[in-house]
Amino acid sequence: MILTEEQKKGQDVFLRIITEAWENDEFKKSLLTNPEETLEKFFGRSLPTGKKIKVTDQSNPEYIYINIPVKPQPKDVELDEKKLDTVNGGASNGTNVSDHESLYDSLRNMYK
């Protein structure tokens, strides 16, 4: 999977937060109880408005955790040439267009 520059920056931010939580128990406790304030202090600036932050501790090795992300809306999905041809040709059979194929392909490639 090829990441955009924005996705790479987001990934770097998450890795910094996770690393700090692994190395600093006080930071981890604070992140769990008051994530917005903790992250504002950590990054030294205000967070973007309009979104809440939910942090869950998924560090218990006895469990496998699954995070269900926000379902992409059709307007958020970029279509490649093959998918555009399918939609333009009317072959979608009235179903929503999504990029689940790319997601599944990416997951399969990660575990080869």
Side-chain angles (χ1 to χ4, degrees):
M1 176 196 302
I2 298 172
L3 299 178
T4 66
E5 288 303 312
E6 187 173 337
Q7 289 170 323
K8 288 178 187 176
K9 288 178 188 176
Q11 191 175 51
D12 288 342
V13 168
F14 282 121
L15 291 175
R16 285 180 58 199
I17 295 167
I18 291 167
T19 300
E20 186 68 21
W22 283 346
E23 295 175 357
N24 181 339
D25 286 337
E26 290 302 313
F27 176 81
K28 181 179 174 179
K29 288 177 192 173
S30 180
L31 188 61
L32 289 165
T33 58
N34 194 344
E36 288 87 358
E37 183 179 312
T38 303
L39 292 174
E40 285 181 352
K41 286 180 185 176
F42 183 68
F43 290 110
R45 61 187 171 111
S46 296
L47 298 174
T49 58
K51 294 285 183 180
K52 297 177 185 177
I53 298 174
K54 182 173 184 170
V55 178
T56 56
D57 185 355
Q58 298 182 353
S59 60
N60 185 333
E62 294 180 16
Y63 291 91
I64 295 174
Y65 298 92
I66 298 173
N67 181 46
I68 301 171
V70 174
K71 183 177 179 181
Q73 299 301 310
K75 65 180 173 48
D76 298 332
V77 176
E78 287 188 36
L79 303 176
D80 60 24
E81 290 298 319
K82 179 181 169 188
K83 291 182 181 89
L84 281 173
D85 288 343
T86 300
V87 173
N88 287 335
S92 67
N93 298 324
T95 59
N96 286 338
V97 176
S98 69
D99 199 17
H100 292 106
E101 278 181 22
S102 296
L103 174 61
Y104 295 140
D105 289 344
S106 297
L107 291 172
R108 275 196 295 269
N109 290 333
M110 286 174 54
Y111 295 102
K112 282 187 178 179

